[in-house]
Amino acid sequence: MIFSLIYERRLWCRYLCPIGGMNGMFAKLSMIELRSTQQVCGSQCSTFGCYKGSGVTPVTFAEALPNEGQATGGCPLYLHPAQLQDNRDCMLCMTCLKTCPNRSAQLNLRFPASDLLDNHKGFWAEVALLLLLLGGVFMHHAHRILGWLGFGSIPVDADHLLIGIPVALVLLCIPAVLTYLTHAIARILDSEQPDYLTVIYAYLPLTLAANLTHYIPAAMTEAGQILPVFARTLGYSGANLPMLTWSLDVAQFLQGVTLLSVMVLSPYPLLRITQRSLFNNIPHLLLMLGFTAFFFKLMI
């Protein structure tokens, strides 16, 4: 709170909160975006209310809506919609739409993952979070993976930290090691491949799909019990409250569809990001296929 007062708005959400970082990173895959026209903002706007806040602004164009030109405190993230390069820092709070008297700010439909396709600039902190989230899927199923390797008796829990922490670190590092080695092979075969910081974002759809696949069974079988759980939280039994649950078979079907769909959709962002041919991207395509097959076997 102190640093947020000294520096810019939402300092915690933008730079320190892992959930905010995850939401912002996955927002780059969204089918919607909030942007404004730089020419309109530069030539017609004098208040910059969407950025720094303003009082009620008269709306001069015809068929104006009653909720346009409102008084607002400005963007909660202190961003101008005309300067947005991607969705990472936009919360879709619609403050800029409410305050804009020129209807420059617009909520648009777009091609999914458009933020990654052209002139995207990555940074290492976000890449670390991406790899951590992908490695977290391995960590969630540590006991099953260790069982396949013949180490099922190794405890990975809070009661055995000296043993569990090294195992957890190894599992979390698997995506980073595999993607880096794969990219090194790809650059040996094709020296014009972009750097690792650029190409790793092609694994963002796979990271989202893997995490969704992990949580689908819980969502399908437990989310419908929100009323009984809420009643028990307040000290009631909740025994007679309605519940909605789906069969585990439905959850497994959705898991399979999620993984298969991302394998179908991932090659296009990869080709656009690398600007190389399908043949030159075979190492990364094979790794994506391997990840998909492994997750299919691990979670379904």
Side-chain angles (χ1 to χ4, degrees), residues 56 65 128 140 142 146 174 179 199 225 234 250 252 258 266 295:
V56 177
L65 299 174
H140 286 314
L146 292 174
I174 289 176
T179 53
V199 177
Q225 303 179 33
L234 298 178
V250 177
Q252 291 178 337
T258 302
S266 288
F295 291 144

Side-chain angles (χ1 to χ4, degrees), residues 78-137:
Y78 220 48
L79 298 171
H80 196 293
Q83 304 299 323
L84 287 174
Q85 299 298 320
D86 55 40
N87 281 353
R88 181 172 63 91
D89 291 327
C90 181
M91 299 170 54
L92 292 179
C93 65
M94 309 300 176
T95 299
C96 51
L97 271 75
K98 299 173 185 176
T99 192
C100 181
N102 305 305
R103 200 173 284 180
S104 175
Q106 298 286 336
L107 187 66
N108 306 319
L109 286 174
R110 66 176 192 177
F111 186 82
S114 294
D115 288 345
L116 305 178
L117 303 183
D118 298 302
N119 302 318
H120 177 261
K121 294 182 179 179
F123 60 101
W124 285 109
E126 192 172 58
V127 169
L129 180 60
L130 186 157
L131 295 171
L132 181 65
L133 288 171
L134 189 56
V137 179

Side-chain angles (χ1 to χ4, degrees), residues 135-173:
V137 179
F138 290 82
M139 187 60 211
H140 286 314
H141 301 271
H143 292 291
R144 189 168 188 180
I145 295 174
L146 292 174
W148 289 347
L149 299 175
F151 302 105
S153 59
I154 296 180
V156 185
D157 52 45
D159 295 327
H160 304 83
L161 291 179
L162 293 179
I163 300 176
I165 289 178
V167 173
L169 291 175
V170 170
L171 293 173
L172 291 173
C173 289

Side-chain angles (χ1 to χ4, degrees), residues 183-202:
H183 188 64
I185 295 172
R187 297 202 75 172
I188 292 174
L189 300 177
D190 178 14
S191 60
E192 296 185 13
Q193 281 274 351
D195 58 13
Y196 178 78
L197 182 61
T198 301
V199 177
I200 190 60
Y201 280 90

Side-chain angles (χ1 to χ4, degrees), residues 35-37 40 44 59 61-68 96-97 99-106:
R35 300 289 188 273
S36 64
T37 307
V40 174
Q44 301 182 27
V59 180
F61 54 84
E63 68 268 351
L65 299 174
N67 58 350
E68 293 180 293
C96 51
L97 271 75
T99 192
C100 181
N102 305 305
R103 200 173 284 180
S104 175
Q106 298 286 336

